[in-house]
Structure formats: C-alpha cells, structure tokens
Amino acid sequence: MPKDGGIGASTKRREDVRFLTGKGRYTDDINIRGQLHAHFIRSQVAHGTIRKIDTRDAEAMPGVVKVFTSADFAGVGGIPTGWQVTSRDGSVMLEPKHPVLAEGKVRHVGDPIAVVVAETLDQARDAAEAVEIDIDELPAVMDMKAAVQGGPLVHDEIGSNLCYDWGFVEENRAAVDEAFKKAAHVTTLDLVNNRLIANPMEPRVAVGDYEDHSGQHTLYTTSQNPHVIRLLMGAFVLSIPEHKLRVVAPDVGGGFGSKIYHYAEEAFVTKAAQILKRPVKWTSSRSEAFISDAQGRDHQTRIQLALDADNNFMALRCETYANMGAYLSTFAPCIPTWLHGTLLAGNYKTPLVYTNVKAVFTNTVPVDAYRGAGRPEATFQLERVIDKAARELGVSPVELRRKNFIKPDQYPYQTPVAVVYDTGNYDATLDKLLELSDYAGFEARAAESKARGKLRGFGLAHYIEACGIAPSNLVGQLGARAGLYESATVRVNATGSITVFTGSHSHGQGHETTFAQVISDMIGIDASQVEIVHGDTSNTPMGMGTYGSRSLAVGGSAMVKATNKIINKAKKIAAHLMEASEADIELKDGKFTVAGTDKEKTWVDITLAAYVPHNYPLESIEPGLEETAFYDPSNFTYPAGAYGCELEVDPETGKVEILAFTAADDFGNVVNPMIVEGQVHGGLAQGIGQAMLEHCVFDENGQLLSGSFMDYAMPRADDVPFYSVDHSCATPCTHNPLGVKGCGEAGAIGSPPAVVNAVLDALHRGGFTNVTHIDMPVSPSRVWQAMHG
Amino acid sequence: MHNFDFVKPSTIADAAQALSHEGAQALSGGQTLIPTMKQRLAAPATLVSLTAIPEMQGVCLGDGGLHIGAATPHAVVAREAKAHYPALAALAGGIGDPAVRNRGTIGGSLANNDPAACYPSAVLASGATVVTNTRKIAADDYFQGLFSTALHDGEIITSIVFPIPEKAAYVKFDQPASRFALTGVFVAKYAGGVRVAVTGASQDGVFRWKDAEAALSADFSPAAIKGLAMESGTMIHDLHGTQAYRANLVKVLTGRAVAAALA
C-alpha cells in the first residue's frame, strides 16, 4: 500500500481547489496600473509584398498611443530557432529571418504587420481599421512538393523553399535499399499526417512591464518554459541581460506544445513597454490563435516495410515531407528529424531503418511540436504499414507484431536509429491489452453488429515514445542550441516545511501535487508540508520547462537529487546532535535514528538546528538547509504500450462510433495513478480528435478554411468512449532515481493508428477489401467515399 | 464590436417604426448577429430587439395549426410544442446547445435562413405560413436561397403557423465541428400527401425533394424511396462532405426519417 500522500497514492490534485473555485491566476488576470492594450493587425493574404503602411489617421484616433510597424523594431533581432539540422550533404539548414513584425513581405495569413497600442482594447481595434495597408498579393505556395519543385519562394533571400534534406541513418541508406531488393514481401503506404491546431483552452496572453529607474523588464506570458523565453528573447531578440529580465508564467490553461515557443507577441509587449514606459497587454482572441499559434504535424509520407519469407521485418524506409510553415518556430526543425527518425524502430527488432525528411517552407502558419511531436507521426506510419502488411500477407496483425517485438531479455537494446532502449516488455502490454479488451470475444460482438447492419472493427497499435530528451552533450551534437537538463532548489524552512523551486512548469500536469508526493515520501513528512513553486524566473533556478513528457523524469529527478543532498546534510546534523557516526543515521517517517540504539531526533529538531545553530558543527558544515541540483539524464526514457480501439462503422453514412478504447501502458513507476490516468484520458481524446475530427485546412490561396470551431472539429465528451486504462505492466526506467518514464503524450501517440486500423478492419469485414488506407481525419464523408466513392 | 444604439419596443408597430430608420437591424436571440458584430463583420447603428413584444412569444393551437410566436426561443418550442407536434419539438430540442436554445428564436432562424439551419426544413416540410407584420407568406414562397428570404427590408416575422401532420420526423446528420446539419431531412405526412424538406445539403438552401414526396405519398415506407436517386450537382461541397456524399445523406436520412415517423 502506498503511503497516504506519498509515491503511488492517488492523491487528489491540490491545484484543482483554486482552478475549480475560480481562484486560478492566469496571465489575462494580470492587470497593471496604467496598462495599455495592443491589437495586432495581421495579414489577410498568405503571401504579398508590403507597399505601404500609413498609420497617421489611426494615430490621431481617440486613445491611441502609438502604432508600431517593423520600422520601430529595426534594431531588434529576429525570433530565433532553437535547433539546427544538418542536411544529407553536410550543409546546415536554411534559416530565414523571422522578424517580430513583417518586414517587406507577409508570408502567411496571420503574419503580424502592425500593432495599435491604445488606452483600451476597443480603441485599439477601432484605430486598426484606420491603418492603411497596401499589399501586392503574390501567388501562395501551399503544396510541399510543388514548393520544392520551383514554386514561388516564401523567403526570396534564401533562394529555396527546402529548409533541409535530412537522412537518417545516412550510412544505412544503401544497406536498406539492398534489403528491399532481397525482400520476400514489400508493403508500401502513402499517407498524410494531418495538420492540427493545438487549441489550449486558454489562448496566449502577454503583458510587458518596464521599470525605467532600474531598467528592469518583466514579461508575464502563457508559457510552458519561462526560462527558455527569457534566454531566447533576452539574448537573441531584445538584447536584455537575464538579471534585468524577469519572465513569469503563472497559471497556464494548457499548452500541448503550442506554448513552448518564443512568439513575436512576447517580444513586442516587452519592447513596447520599454518604448512607451507603460505596461502593454495583448490577449489573443480565439480567431487569432487559429492563425498565430504554432500548429502541429502536417507530414506527407511514403513508408515501406520489407519482410522476409518468415515475416520478419528486414528493413523500413520512409520518405517524408514535413511542413515548416512560413517561418521556423522555436523547435520546428527537430520535430520531423530527431523526434521522428529515432522512433522508427518502434517496438520492433527491424535491423535496418532509413528515413529521409525534407522540411519545406510554405505560406502557412508555422508548425512545431504538438503533444507527441514527431513520435505520433512515426508511430502512425509504422503501425499503419504493419497492419497493411499483415493484411497483404494474410496473417494476424497481433501475431505479426508479436513475432517482431524486441523481447524482454534483449535490453538494453541498441536500435538501428541511434537510441538505446533501457527496458520494456511489449509482449506483456500486448497481452494485457488483449485481455482487457476481450479480444477473444470480438468475433461474437462483430457478428452482433453485423446483424444490426453495422460494421465492427478492432484496431491495434503498439507505440514507443522517447521522453526526457537528453543528455545535453548528445543533443548539442544533434543541433540543439539549448541544454536539456532540469533544475530544482529544495528550501527546507526552519520549522521543517519545505518549499521546492522547480524549473519544470505545470500547466495541467499536476506537479504541485505529484512533486510534493515525492518529497513527502523521501523524507516522511506530510505532503501538506511541501509547497511546489514554479513559473517565475526571479525565484526558480534556470530550468528548461515542461514538454515532451519530461517533467517527472527530468525535473523530478533534479528534485530528488537536491533532496538527497538535503538528507545527507540533515544526517550530518543529526549525527552531531545524537553524538553518533553519520553512517549509523537512518531517516524514516520523518525521524532520524541511530542504528542499534533508541536515540531519535525528529525532522523538525534537525531543521531547527540548521537555522538556530547553537549546538551545531559550524566548523564542518554551514548553517541552513537549502540545496540546488541540476539533473541531466544519461538517456531518454521509453514509455511503451498497446492500444486497442473497437468501433462500428455505419455503412450507409460512413459515421464511425468508437465503442471501446483500451490502453495498456508501461510508464515505469507511477507516482499518482489517478493523475496518470487523467493524462492518458486527455492524450487519448487528442489522439482520437486527430484520427476522427481535427483538420487544419488551407485553400490554394492560403486562406484558412478551418478558421473557427464552426469548421475545426475539436473532440467533445460524446465523441469519445469511456476508456479502459492500465499501467500495471511496468518496467521501471533504469537510469533515473524514480524509475519513471513519462505519460503525458502516450495517449496522443498510440491512439491515431489504433483508430484508423480499426476503421480499415471494419471495412474489410464489411467486404470493402479494396480500401487500403483512409487519411485522417476518418470523417464520415471520407469513410463513405472510401466505401462507395 | 462597434458601438450601437439599442431599443427594445413592446409593440410590433413600434418595432416596425424603429426598423424604418437607416442602419437599424432587428435583433432576436442574437445567436448569429452578436458573434458577427463581435468580429466586426456587421456594425448596425441601432439594434431593435424583438424579444419584449408579448404577441411574438409562445406556442399555442389556433386556426390552421400550431402558432409559434417568432421570438419564442428554441427551448420553449422544444417544451411547449411537444404535445402538439413532437417532431417539431424534437427538432427545436436538437438545435445547438442549451445556451443557443435558450436565446435563439425561431423567427431569428427563419429570417437568417442559414443553409444548414434546422428550422427551415420543418417550415417547408410542414407547408407552414410565415406571418409578418404586413402579410402571410407560404413556406414555398418564403425561402429564396442561401441567407435569402421573401422578407422586405424592415419586415418583421411575427409568428409561424404549422399545420399539424399525421406523422412526421426530422433526422439530422451533424456537421462534426459546428453540429449544424451537414444534412437534415424533415418528413411530414398529411392527409393530402407527404412533404420532404432537406436542409444543409443544397447550394440553394432548404429544398423539397419532390420525387421522394411522390413516392412516399403513394407508399409511406422507407422502401418506397429505395429506387430514387438524388441528383448531386446542386449539392454543397466543402471540408465536411462532397456533393456525392451529401446526395447520399439526403436519401439515407429520408429513409430514416420515414422509419422514425412510423415508429
């Protein structure tokens, strides 16, 4: 039994008290005396040359303080990119400037051209209508393949729309081609990984403040990683040293990746506040979010699987076009490469893998990481091509996977795509899935559906994820312009309570609860005695923030490391007070004891002694009890799992109804099972959303057709089933102190192929055997078209 | 949103007077107009609210069938029409979400004539009469294409009179994002014959499927339309469905509406 409030307990989320009672403090709740309001004027065309911007009439309007254009940002750097990818020929990627406000050209609908700053938002919006902007529209380049075959240039100065042409593992290319020549069977699949709009519940907000007498800047922003914003914006855009720039990300209402990046609006309000000497606030409207938040996915892929005569996977070959949009968002270049190519071994012992990724500029909103980031794209194509191969070969998709799984005795397992899996047991998660989903009873249920005129299908997908991307020296070699450690300061207060300052950021993950559970467990004090502080660069150590399911595995490990330093020091103090050898001191349930004696000191005895050091070994240890640690992982963590989707297709309308969805995950050790389950539920809803509903669509002129919730379908509660979720098949991570792996993205990674595989299974059972693939979202119209079109 | 003046007359005559001024715009439940104004895509000088006029409210039986005041919210129709015209009540109860149903009105929906709205199909399939402050308009004359109606500038719908059918049903297939009708079919069987009205599908807005009406007037069963084909050339093609798909939905949903009416 887990200790109440300790590791393994389903402690209720403490942060929910404020969220559910309306006491959360989000960026838009921050209003500073004298604050002005910014309204961005954004391009309504996808591509064009700016001929003229006349702000005079607008600046004369009531309440208007200033109308900014790129001329006001002449001395300011572009929005930087945090990752540099090297092409197959050894050249580095093309990296065009991303100005804060458009310079000379607009490159996507939503590209900011000018900003009206006024006393009220309404005044700013009124004045925006008086800003005269003259743009010569240019042909937009929308299709990725056309873009690299002589289409109009998004950035004239770089001479190409091909950002990079990446091969991985390039040395394996010839061997992979050779394996395909020798294969007994080759399965080929062309597919699209549909572009998504992240749509966190809270739109982005930024408030800039400036203190003239001290030169101190403060930016309040909806960020997943305030230190990263401080570094990128301070060092590369505005030239503000860290000690004069405070970035605060208070309560944040969901990010899903879209709030990792440094955005132009953040730099704008920070700079404008300095220029105007008044605070400046910008709050995105939902419509604005659709055309200014970085979007997700958008790959076009041909994937091929080579099998030998015994159905062993021999080689995998993938050719992907990845849409970057009009500018490189902060981590965009690494998503289709290092977070995608390195996952293509999946759960399988495929000996040879080769991926070619062409990253392409188009006149669309920038694309970057979105929940899963590269890993969903890898998993989708792999699990789809395996299902297609099973069908072509007439073998069970379950058994084809099982036959090719890496087996439990093969760890650590060196994949052909650089990464080394530390642990796993894919047979176990598959068995658990088949049991929980009553796979054995499926045929009877399918027959019952058929009697009602419905087509029932079962779809399986297995996934592997790489979380806590690291170590920093490796990612540096791969092109990262940042470290990927995490930090924590553990401050023990004099009367024994603890304040933890973490570089991780919680925006829905529940860190304030789970991190306290870990400390409570380690020291043996009640979790209520532990407070978790995050989100403010002025009081937390330099941290890299929260994304990629890294917080507990990396940030939690930093906290454990700092807490171990605390415990070691506390033991020294206890040894002094009890006149015993440090080696004999034990800490259990908040008490220090001397082994083999009945001597005992409480946790508070020690913490008080540290801060009131009257009887204290001052000659050998400092007073106080506060430690900081930075943790840089030695490897990724590798959560994995088996997902099963059971659904019915209405053959008359193509409508798909998911009847059951089962997830058997291996997350290693679990700190709070309830929160993990919630994370999986959320991930599954997003994955099912991608598979069935969500689709960001531009027309050929670059206008966003899915520009509001009237046309962009977010999953609603009745679109998803009740889930069956299990994480009992745990193989703890071998290289972090908690043995944890990360759970935030799994649901979004494993579910899309399970859904599509299930739709294909239903169609085949219904006699539509010529349907080999349907692109996501598998909308009613597309499913019907596949059957009857 | 731009600034505007707001008036809330309590009689139809005062409303008509207010609407005769330049830049005046009728406001009923505001479920389309207010979001449009918030996006600054409409900027009327004066909004004339129609929701405080007693004779434009409520549901009651009267000459010619069920009378529904034009400013009656969907939720009230869903509740109060149920005993008299259950298919109409069910349609009203399936519009939007609770917020929309408690603000949006039948008159507002008909005046707007969104091609994917539900109400136009009920009005057309029922052969209802749209009553305005100046005249009575037969449903067959009222709908004139996308967002287009027989209403003159400043003319106010005051009520709708629905002849009550022997049997009827409305089946809607949701557009996945908006949950408006990707296609919706209202089938109503009267002593004089069957009327079938389709919303959401056509580039010309709500329309009657006359081939199905003839077939169903002869034999009111799902089987009666099996041999019919819906012409797809005038259907809408968009993100959510092709022309062929919508044509298919018209036929499938018509069959399902007949089955539901018979159930």
Side-chain angles (χ1 to χ4, degrees):
Chain A
M1 274 292 286
K3 194 163 77 68
D4 188 32
I7 291 174
S10 283
T11 307
K12 288 213 169 85
R13 294 178 10 137
R14 57 172 66 173
E15 43 271 81
D16 285 347
V17 175
R18 70 173 188 277
F19 294 150
L20 297 176
T21 57
K23 298 293 192 291
R25 188 166 183 260
Y26 297 88
T27 309
D28 193 51
D29 294 323
I30 293 168
N31 292 294
I32 307 172
R33 184 186 292 267
Q35 150 186 296
L36 298 166
H37 295 267
H39 175 76
F40 280 74
I41 302 172
R42 297 178 183 279
S43 179
Q44 296 178 7
V45 301
H47 196 193
T49 305
I50 302 171
R51 290 289 169 217
K52 192 181 78 176
I53 306 174
D54 187 342
T55 64
R56 283 170 298 183
D57 289 352
E59 288 193 296
M61 286 180 68
V64 175
V65 176
K66 184 170 170 60
V67 180
F68 290 84
T69 66
S70 64
D72 299 293
F73 282 76
V76 162
I79 306 293
T81 307
W83 203 295
Q84 185 178 61
V85 168
T86 302
S87 287
R88 292 170 53 207
D89 64 4
S91 61
V92 296
M93 69 184 191
L94 298 179
E95 198 172 347
K97 184 178 181 187
H98 182 183
V100 174
L101 297 175
E103 292 172 357
K105 256 176 90 167
V106 289
R107 296 185 175 87
H108 67 87
V109 169
D111 206 358
I113 302 169
V115 189
V116 182
V117 177
E119 299 288 342
T120 71
L121 184 56
D122 277 333
Q123 288 172 331
R125 293 185 71 178
D126 285 343
E129 292 174 7
V131 174
E132 200 185 318
I133 297 174
D134 186 4
I135 292 179
D136 284 350
E137 195 169 351
L138 297 167
V141 59
M142 302 302 297
D143 178 73
M144 287 191 274
K145 289 177 183 169
V148 296
Q149 288 162 4
L153 290 176
V154 179
H155 297 272
D156 306 276
E157 70 278 13
I158 59 173
S160 170
N161 291 322
L162 181 63
C163 176
Y164 57 74
D165 179 5
W166 183 77
F168 186 70
V169 175
E170 191 61 24
E171 294 71 30
N172 288 349
R173 184 188 179 102
V176 167
D177 290 346
E178 201 55 35
F180 271 86
K181 284 181 197 152
K182 292 183 188 147
H185 184 85
V186 172
T187 296
T188 300
L189 180 59
D190 292 311
L191 55 84
V192 171
N193 204 288
N194 44 325
R195 183 187 278 241
L196 304 176
I197 301 175
N199 282 317
M201 194 178 287
E202 178 205 28
R204 288 190 298 118
V205 184
V207 186
D209 195 12
Y210 180 68
E211 206 175 71
D212 199 25
H213 67 84
S214 65
Q216 179 71 36
H217 299 261
T218 304
L219 169 67
Y220 301 90
T221 183
T222 47
S223 176
Q224 300 176 215
N225 31 237
H227 284 96
V228 175
I229 303 306
R230 187 182 64 167
L231 179 64
L232 292 175
M233 186 177 82
F236 298 97
V237 188
L238 300 179
S239 301
I240 305 170
E242 283 97 328
H243 71 298
K244 292 295 184 190
L245 175 58
R246 175 185 172 206
V247 178
V248 185
D251 284 332
V252 173
F256 313 111
S258 70
K259 292 174 183 168
I260 297 172
Y261 324 116
H262 174 42
Y263 286 98
E265 295 86 356
E266 295 171 322
F268 175 80
V269 297
T270 306
K271 185 71 182 172
Q274 181 185 16
I275 293 171
L276 301 174
K277 308 226 174 352
R278 288 178 67 181
V280 176
K281 180 177 199 171
W282 167 74
T283 299
S284 173
S285 68
R286 182 61 66 182
S287 305
E288 221 174 349
F290 271 72
I291 51 172
S292 69
D293 291 3
Q295 302 181 343
R297 316 280 194 257
D298 203 351
H299 285 194
Q300 281 180 40
T301 293
R302 164 165 288 188
I303 183 155
Q304 294 180 293
L305 179 64
L307 301 98
D308 71 13
D310 294 326
N311 296 341
N312 294 304
F313 300 166
M314 294 171 66
L316 188 79
R317 188 162 59 192
C318 158
E319 186 183 8
T320 287
Y321 287 81
N323 205 333
M324 296 285 102
Y327 301 101
L328 290 177
S329 177
T330 308
F331 289 111
C334 91
I335 310 307
T337 50
W338 299 108
L339 292 180
H340 170 246
T342 54
L343 270 295
L344 282 169
N347 311 85
Y348 310 100
K349 51 193 179 195
T350 318
L352 288 165
V353 176
Y354 179 74
T355 321
N356 174 227
V357 178
K358 293 181 175 71
V360 182
F361 292 110
T362 59
N363 291 114
T364 62
V365 177
V367 179
D368 206 324
Y370 168 75
R371 201 171 192 167
R375 294 154 289 184
E377 295 89 318
T379 303
F380 183 73
Q381 54 180 300
L382 184 57
E383 293 298 308
R384 281 289 302 122
V385 81
I386 291 172
D387 244 50
K388 185 164 187 260
R391 206 171 299 289
E392 288 172 357
L393 294 164
V395 300
S396 148
V398 174
E399 294 316 316
L400 183 61
R401 284 179 173 83
R402 197 191 291 280
K403 180 183 181 65
N404 286 282
F405 274 162
I406 298 159
K407 295 298 174 185
D409 60 359
Q410 291 182 286
Y411 296 96
Y413 184 83
Q414 173 67 60
T415 69
V417 277
V419 293
V420 180
Y421 301 159
D422 59 341
T423 56
N425 188 341
Y426 311 139
D427 287 284
T429 44
L430 179 55
D431 288 340
K432 178 58 78 176
L433 172 84
L434 298 177
E435 172 204 328
L436 291 176
S437 58
D438 185 23
Y439 187 65
F442 174 75
E443 293 297 343
R445 296 191 295 277
E448 186 273 331
S449 294
K450 197 171 180 181
R452 285 186 288 108
K454 296 286 171 63
L455 313 177
R456 188 180 282 244
F458 184 90
L460 170 67
H462 224 282
Y463 76 90
I464 188 153
E465 186 182 4
C467 304
I469 175 171
S472 292
N473 53 5
L474 172 68
V475 298
Q477 288 170 30
L478 305 184
R481 291 164 169 164
L484 284 162
Y485 50 83
E486 198 46 81
S487 64
T489 295
V490 176
R491 176 179 297 163
V492 181
N493 302 306
T495 60
S497 67
I498 295 175
T499 311
V500 177
F501 301 88
T502 171
S504 296
H505 185 276
S506 188
H507 36 274
Q509 294 85 351
H511 296 168
E512 292 168 35
T513 303
T514 51
F515 281 28
Q517 286 179 256
V518 172
I519 299 268
S520 164
D521 213 80
M522 289 180 73
I523 294 176
I525 58 174
D526 195 84
S528 66
Q529 295 301 299
V530 185
E531 192 75 10
I532 308 297
V533 176
H534 61 93
D536 186 342
T537 60
S538 74
N539 61 16
T540 56
M542 172 80 179
M544 297 309 293
T546 290
Y547 39 82
S549 308
R550 72 193 296 270
S551 290
L552 189 61
V554 190
S557 296
M559 183 179 69
V560 168
K561 208 173 154 188
T563 305
N564 279 329
K565 290 187 193 178
I566 294 279
I567 290 170
N568 288 340
K569 184 171 177 182
K571 282 183 174 174
K572 286 191 173 73
I573 301 168
H576 173 85
L577 291 178
M578 293 190 282
E579 296 175 334
S581 161
E582 191 191 324
D584 293 334
I585 303 293
E586 290 169 359
L587 170 61
K588 190 164 185 268
D589 297 335
K591 291 193 179 68
F592 293 88
T593 54
V594 180
T597 74
D598 59 358
K599 286 185 184 176
E600 174 181 302
K601 287 283 179 190
T602 66
W603 168 250
V604 179
D605 291 335
I606 304 306
T607 63
L608 258 179
Y611 287 96
V612 188
H614 295 165
N615 176 14
Y616 195 86
L618 287 167
E619 62 289 349
S620 59
I621 41 177
E622 296 170 7
L625 207 45
E626 173 167 328
E627 298 287 352
T628 294
F630 286 74
Y631 176 78
D632 204 288
S634 60
N635 191 357
F636 297 90
T637 64
Y638 299 97
Y643 284 8
C645 178
E646 190 163 326
L647 51 73
E648 271 181 355
V649 175
D650 180 340
E652 290 185 326
T653 65
K655 189 171 170 59
V656 175
E657 185 185 2
I658 298 185
L659 304 170
F661 201 103
T662 309
D665 291 295
D666 173 2
F667 296 134
N669 294 333
V670 165
V671 170
N672 184 319
M674 178 196 72
I675 287 179
V676 166
E677 196 166 324
Q679 287 286 314
V680 174
H681 282 203
L684 291 176
Q686 277 180 293
I688 290 170
Q690 169 165 28
M692 296 187 42
L693 297 162
E694 298 187 45
H695 198 192
C696 175
V697 185
F698 297 90
D699 72 9
E700 69 277 12
N701 299 316
Q703 295 294 326
L704 181 61
L705 297 178
S706 56
S708 78
F709 290 136
M710 292 294 281
D711 285 299
Y712 187 88
M714 292 292 282
R716 292 166 165 91
D718 64 352
D719 288 315
V720 296
F722 283 94
Y723 305 114
S724 170
V725 173
D726 176 273
H727 41 79
S728 65
C729 303
T731 60
C733 171
T734 59
H735 55 81
N736 66 42
L738 293 166
V740 296
K741 294 184 172 179
C743 66
E745 296 161 297
I749 293 171
S751 54
V755 172
V756 178
N757 286 344
V759 170
L760 270 290
D761 186 53
L763 264 49
H764 279 255
R765 288 166 180 277
F768 299 99
T769 51
N770 59 334
V771 183
T772 57
H773 181 65
I774 304 174
D775 275 324
M776 300 186 290
V778 286
S779 62
S781 174
R782 283 183 168 183
V783 174
W784 182 84
Q785 213 73 32
M787 289 188 285
H788 306 291
Chain B
M1 192 183 282
H2 290 276
N3 285 334
F4 55 88
D5 290 326
F6 181 77
V7 294
K8 199 168 188 176
S10 56
T11 67
I12 292 168
D14 286 353
Q17 173 63 27
L19 283 169
S20 68
H21 293 115
E22 178 81 20
Q25 164 70 49
L27 171 72
S28 193
Q31 296 304 291
T32 300
L33 181 57
I34 299 295
T36 309
M37 289 171 64
K38 281 182 173 175
Q39 290 187 297
R40 297 182 165 232
L41 297 174
T46 306
L47 285 184
V48 180
S49 170
L50 303 177
T51 57
I53 299 168
E55 59 262 53
M56 286 176 65
Q57 294 287 339
V59 177
C60 65
L61 281 177
D63 286 350
L66 193 65
H67 293 233
I68 300 181
T72 308
H74 312 324
V76 173
V77 176
R79 209 161 48 235
E80 297 185 3
K82 196 169 181 181
H84 312 295
Y85 195 165
L88 179 65
L91 174 148
I95 297 172
D97 55 27
V100 168
R101 289 195 289 274
N102 281 295
R103 294 294 305 175
T105 68
I106 184 169
S109 172
L110 295 176
N112 189 43
N113 193 21
D114 188 306
C118 294
Y119 266 131
S121 69
V123 170
L124 190 59
S126 304
T129 302
V130 178
V131 182
T132 76
N133 57 327
T134 58
R135 58 187 170 141
K136 294 179 175 175
I137 311 171
D140 284 320
D141 301 326
Y142 177 81
F143 299 102
Q144 301 195 347
L146 304 188
F147 299 103
S148 177
T149 70
L151 292 175
H152 302 308
D153 281 350
E155 188 173 8
I156 301 167
I157 304 176
T158 57
S159 68
I160 300 93
V161 180
F162 288 89
I164 295 175
E166 295 167 4
K167 295 181 192 310
Y170 175 63
V171 176
K172 170 166 79 161
F173 193 90
D174 288 349
Q175 193 256 56
S178 68
R179 297 202 173 174
F180 273 66
L182 184 64
T183 294
V185 177
F186 201 108
V187 172
K189 179 179 188 294
Y190 290 89
V194 174
R195 289 172 68 107
V196 177
V198 180
T199 189
S202 168
Q203 296 167 11
D204 300 322
V206 66
F207 71 97
R208 285 172 66 188
W209 188 15
K210 294 203 174 165
D211 290 351
E213 290 181 354
L216 290 167
S217 294
D219 170 18
F220 194 67
S221 78
I225 60 161
K226 277 264 190 299
L228 300 182
M230 167 54 60
E231 177 57 44
S232 67
T234 59
M235 298 284 115
I236 295 169
H237 174 98
D238 65 10
L239 286 184
H240 307 287
T242 58
Q243 292 185 317
Y245 181 62
R246 279 188 167 82
N248 170 68
L249 279 184
V250 172
K251 184 172 171 181
V252 170
L253 300 184
T254 301
R256 290 181 183 184
V258 172
L262 291 165

